[in-house]
Amino acid sequence: MHTPPLPLTRDLVLIGGGHTHALLLRKWGMNPLPGARITVINPGPTAPYSGMLPGFVAGHYQRWELDIDLVRLARYAGARVILGTVEGIDPDRRQINVPGRAPVAFDVASVNVGITSDMPALPGFSDHAVPAKPLGRFAAQWEEYLSEPGPASVAVIGGGVAGAELVMAMAHALRANGRDAKVTLIDNATALSATIPKASATIRQAMKQLGIEVLEHASIQQISKGRIDLSNGHQIVAEFITGAAGARPYDWISNSDLALQDGFIQVNAFLQSSDPAIFAAGDCAHLSDNPRPKAGVYAVREAPILYDNLRAALGAGKMRRYAPQKDYLKLISLGQKSAVAERLGTSFRGTLMWKWKNRIDQRFMNRFRELPQMPAPPLPRYHTAGMQEALGEKPMCGGCGAKIGRRALQTALAELPRLEKPDITQLPGDDAALLKTGGVRQVITSDHLRSFTNDPTLMTRIAAVHALGDIWAMGAQPQAATATIILPRMSAELQQRTMAEIMQVASSVMHQAGAEVVGGHSSMGDESTFGFTLTGLCEAEPITLGGAKSGDALILTKPLGSGVLMAAEMAGQAKGDWVVSAFEHMIQPQGEASHILRSAHAMTDVTGFGLAGHLQGMCEASGCGATLSLAQVPVMKGAVELSDQGIRSTIYADNRTITPELPTGGKADLLFDPQTAGGLLAAVASEEAEHLCAQLQAVGYPAALIGHLNTTPVLRVHN
């Protein structure tokens, strides 16, 4: 008996990808709560681990070693990722505001966004300095400054442990790069007051050996380009200025109507805020029962407690109290591969301490680099013949990777009776049909996608652009759309939330394309699918596959690689920034490209059959051949690397049989990669090609001239 998936009934939203939430997602992937739909909202696809920041600044780590890949982690946990910066939370409406999209509804929410070291009250800081947190912007600007030649001058504001670690790392890196550097640490009180005297003396000696000037009880009047003006009239020359003091919460938290302590969210022993449905952890939270300093060790120790308490708030289990330890081990980097360890009133210094710190940090990061693989359920003992072959060696990937093969589709269509209605023309090789109504030329098409991302809003946008491709490829103006949506089983409230998100973005995409959503159909099934039926109007004769001419140049408006990237992402093998970049290509509308290419002799959108398959269709319809320049074919970030690892979309093998004469291996394999919401492939007059390509690039399309057509009815590829 077939057991349908359990319905979704509650929304859990994690705001921020901090250490606590990262550990929670890992644990959730190993033991998810049935019925819970989990969402994580974060500004970018990665979350940096601040414990390794001084080592990165000093040059001991590469930038990628600091990043927790949230996209990959969310896929492991079965969560959707929303990339954006939260601007507010409404406890009464149970909504979170993220710019550029509908409010995100929640039943239970958790906040783990860390803190910022931005100092807006310090005149000139925002314009001429770089806060050490959030880490992304700081890391990029530090790498750029470190690579510059000549003398250097840097200043760090804030003489706590974080500021001392940072300034020593900077001084070491500049010295290692052979730059003569003036390095200054500035504090408005006594530096290193939070450390015991022995550790403080050790750190001060290390700073002295690195040539760092320490200014204490120094009041800053303002910051200007290249200098810091002190209240006593002195000036500090500094080209690179950063701040590791004044840690403060993000502004939106103060407008949340939650109980706060100095701007931080007050939480009880269960990590609950003044609203029982909203939790908080890490540096953005204030532990009302047991106040503690801002330190990553508490965020890490809170993770298992938060995991259990969120499940309890969603209806499963009992809550647990968090009891923070009174003291913790401090391991403070000294610039070089040396560190001081402090705990229980004593301290030790040496390279062994740095190795200890490095081992702790690497062990923490390895928990996200090496996610435990949960075994797939075994096949039933008894099953029909051919079951293993039909399943294949891997799960079916989404998007166009779930498309029926070209051979099966063509065989089925060939058996249909010929059209005999004079007002309908089925154009050879094209997915859309031409209708003639009262002298008006209208095209109609339909397309849908199996979901390959857990975010229905993003999936709707991709599916809309994908379906519009047939209209744009014919040079038509989109007119009207109906939506066909299948959602997995979920409660009535989640249905309403999800459909509201879907229809808002569907209406927005279609309206921007010049069409309107006029209706549709929705139902529930085992998994999500998103589809649209569209009509478009043609002012002139539609552009088809059959009008290409020998000598025409070929223009492609988007890079290849979405199939292999989505296959890798679903298997947890793609880097998060590669996936995000692929999504950005997929959601780029092709309306303006279609208008620029309105003089094309033939045009198609590159989708499920890959570039080679769609180009073959154009050549067959036009009675010509083509030669591609492989070096000129644009590809998405990470696509070649993944293809070289042998990762393939489900339909790759079928696509490969369409043009078996073409080369394989390396970049050539991407010619057969199925595309979702792919670019337009246009055959244009050779004398217009460079001008058209330049026009496309000028308005933001990564367009390229990739080959030309000829009289020999075969496809060729050269490097």
Side-chain angles (χ1 to χ4, degrees), residues 246-300:
R248 64 183 187 88
Y250 289 95
D251 292 335
W252 66 267
I253 292 177
S254 62
N255 300 319
S256 64
D257 293 331
L258 300 173
L260 306 177
Q261 175 69 45
D262 300 324
F264 300 96
I265 301 172
Q266 285 189 17
V267 295
N268 60 20
F270 302 111
L271 304 178
Q272 284 175 303
S273 73
S274 54
D275 185 318
I278 301 175
F279 294 70
D283 288 350
C284 69
H286 172 76
L287 302 170
S288 299
D289 294 353
N290 292 287
R292 289 292 183 271
K294 303 301 180 187
V297 63
Y298 298 115
V300 170

Side-chain angles (χ1 to χ4, degrees), residues 1 28 35 69 72 118 154 165 191 198 247 265 295 385 401 441 506 525 543 639 707:
M1 180 178 176
W28 197 278
D69 191 330
R72 180 169 173 263
D118 192 5
V154 301
E165 277 194 302
K198 181 180 178 183
I265 301 172
R441 287 181 293 255
I543 305 171

Side-chain angles (χ1 to χ4, degrees), residues 361-448:
D361 289 338
Q362 295 289 2
R363 184 171 59 197
F364 177 79
M365 292 301 290
N366 283 337
R367 299 175 76 175
F368 307 106
R369 297 168 185 158
E370 303 164 3
L371 296 172
Q373 293 303 309
M374 310 309 291
L379 279 176
R381 180 179 179 184
Y382 298 106
H383 55 76
T384 58
M387 179 71 71
Q388 189 64 57
E389 292 77 7
L391 281 173
E393 297 179 356
K394 59 186 178 181
M396 180 172 61
C397 58
C400 285
K403 190 178 180 74
I404 298 297
R406 187 182 192 228
R407 182 177 303 169
L409 185 61
Q410 287 182 332
T411 301
L413 292 175
E415 296 176 358
L416 294 177
R418 293 184 61 184
L419 289 175
E420 296 180 357
K421 292 178 66 65
D423 56 344
I424 301 177
T425 304
Q426 179 64 57
L427 303 168
D430 284 291
D431 291 331
L434 177 65
L435 312 179
K436 293 182 180 178
T437 307
V440 176
R441 287 181 293 255
Q442 187 182 47
V443 293
I444 184 169
T445 187
S446 182
D447 219 325
H448 78 275

Side-chain angles (χ1 to χ4, degrees), residues 508-521:
S508 174
V509 174
M510 293 301 174
H511 183 76
Q512 290 174 11
E516 298 297 340
V517 177
V518 296
H521 179 77

